[in-house]
Amino acid sequence: MSNILEGARDLNEKYSMGKPKPTVEDVLKLIKQHTFGCVVAGGFCRDTFFGVTPKDIDICVYDFYPDDYAEGVLLQSLQHKLDKLGVGFTNVSSQFDECDEEYLVNDARVHEVWKLAGLNVDIILYNGCKTWRDVVMKFDFNLNQFYLPSTVPDFDSERPYNPSLEEAPVYVGLYPLDELWQTKEGLTHERIVKMQDKFTHFYPALPNQVMSEFNDDDFIPY
């Protein structure tokens, strides 16, 4: 039996005995407690915006430095706490193909991917991102550049951190949402076709022609 299935089985056993089931918001708060930045962004926000049932939830973690010993200890502690929370924690870093098709094997943007089977959540640890905006701007199409503002921790404020999946997603792409723009190079043909199909589903009356910022002379780098 796979680790994911074992985690899901253990989760069901724990919460069938009356223990309250953890939420995605609990996971976000746990990440903040370990001083890492995080944001719910991408497909979940996009699908929610368009009224489509999301497949899963991506929590994107940023502002961490895996080569720093102290931060490595914090990451290990976070893994342990997630496992204790009972959310079916599995590290699938070497198997990005088990995650969203956007994340390919040896994807330079990604340090690790953790799967929480009990919550249908992927935690994606991003390389070289200091802010939530850095994360969102690494997405491969403008159609994915949505996020939930309340899920971004504010470490400079004493206000309570109250992330919510119920808030309205916000689009922050640099191109019009009713145009399909490719914002990352090196994509497979299958990935491009899939995003064209999604665009057509959301905008059936519009052409799904893919435009590329790399061929846009007026593009202003972010």
Side-chain angles (χ1 to χ4, degrees):
M1 180 179 291
S2 72
N3 290 336
I4 292 177
L5 292 178
E6 288 178 357
R9 181 199 62 192
D10 292 342
L11 183 73
N12 290 333
E13 290 178 356
K14 288 178 182 178
Y15 296 109
S16 64
M17 296 186 295
K19 185 178 179 180
K21 183 177 179 179
T23 66
V24 177
E25 287 84 356
D26 292 332
V27 172
L28 288 162
K29 290 177 181 179
L30 194 59
I31 294 172
K32 180 182 184 292
Q33 289 171 14
H34 285 74
T35 71
F36 298 115
C38 54
V39 60
V40 173
F44 171 83
C45 305
R46 175 201 64 216
D47 291 346
T48 300
F49 180 87
F50 286 104
V52 175
T53 301
K55 181 186 70 173
D56 56 16
I57 300 170
D58 287 346
I59 297 177
C60 305
V61 175
Y62 58 89
D63 194 25
F64 78 98
Y65 303 89
D67 295 330
D68 182 280
Y69 175 78
E71 298 232 334
V73 171
L74 280 175
L75 277 180
Q76 290 180 351
S77 174
L78 177 56
Q79 289 180 334
H80 178 66
K81 292 290 181 61
L82 287 169
D83 195 35
K84 286 188 66 176
L85 196 61
V87 290
F89 173 85
T90 306
N91 189 326
V92 293
S93 302
S94 62
Q95 306 170 50
F96 290 170
D97 55 320
E98 291 187 8
C99 308
D100 188 287
E101 65 279 354
E102 179 185 352
Y103 302 104
L104 304 177
V105 174
N106 299 323
D107 192 326
R109 296 172 299 165
V110 177
H111 174 68
E112 287 185 351
V113 178
W114 304 346
K115 190 172 281 288
L116 309 182
L119 291 176
N120 202 22
V121 166
D122 287 347
I123 298 179
I124 300 139
L125 282 68
Y126 271 81
N127 290 317
C129 292
K130 293 185 177 180
T131 70
W132 65 266
R133 186 173 289 276
D134 292 340
V135 170
V136 173
M137 292 306 171
K138 284 179 178 286
F139 290 169
D140 55 359
F141 281 88
N142 68 316
L143 189 59
N144 296 327
Q145 292 176 330
F146 286 88
Y147 85 119
L148 299 184
S150 74
T151 65
V152 178
D154 183 357
F155 292 100
D156 297 324
S157 172
E158 295 182 357
R159 291 176 298 178
Y161 176 51
N162 292 311
S164 173
L165 298 184
E166 302 300 321
E167 70 177 315
V170 175
Y171 175 68
V172 291
L174 300 178
Y175 295 102
L177 189 53
D178 58 357
E179 297 176 358
L180 184 60
W181 283 83
Q182 180 181 336
T183 53
K184 178 178 178 289
E185 293 183 291
L187 303 181
T188 64
H189 174 72
E190 290 76 16
R191 177 63 179 172
I192 293 172
V193 169
K194 180 158 189 173
M195 292 308 301
Q196 285 180 296
D197 290 343
K198 285 186 180 292
F199 183 85
T200 298
H201 180 73
F202 298 143
Y203 294 104
L206 297 178
N208 65 1
Q209 176 185 359
V210 176
M211 293 169 280
S212 172
E213 71 177 24
F214 308 105
N215 300 323
D216 180 13
D217 294 335
D218 296 324
F219 174 66
I220 301 174
Y222 36 77

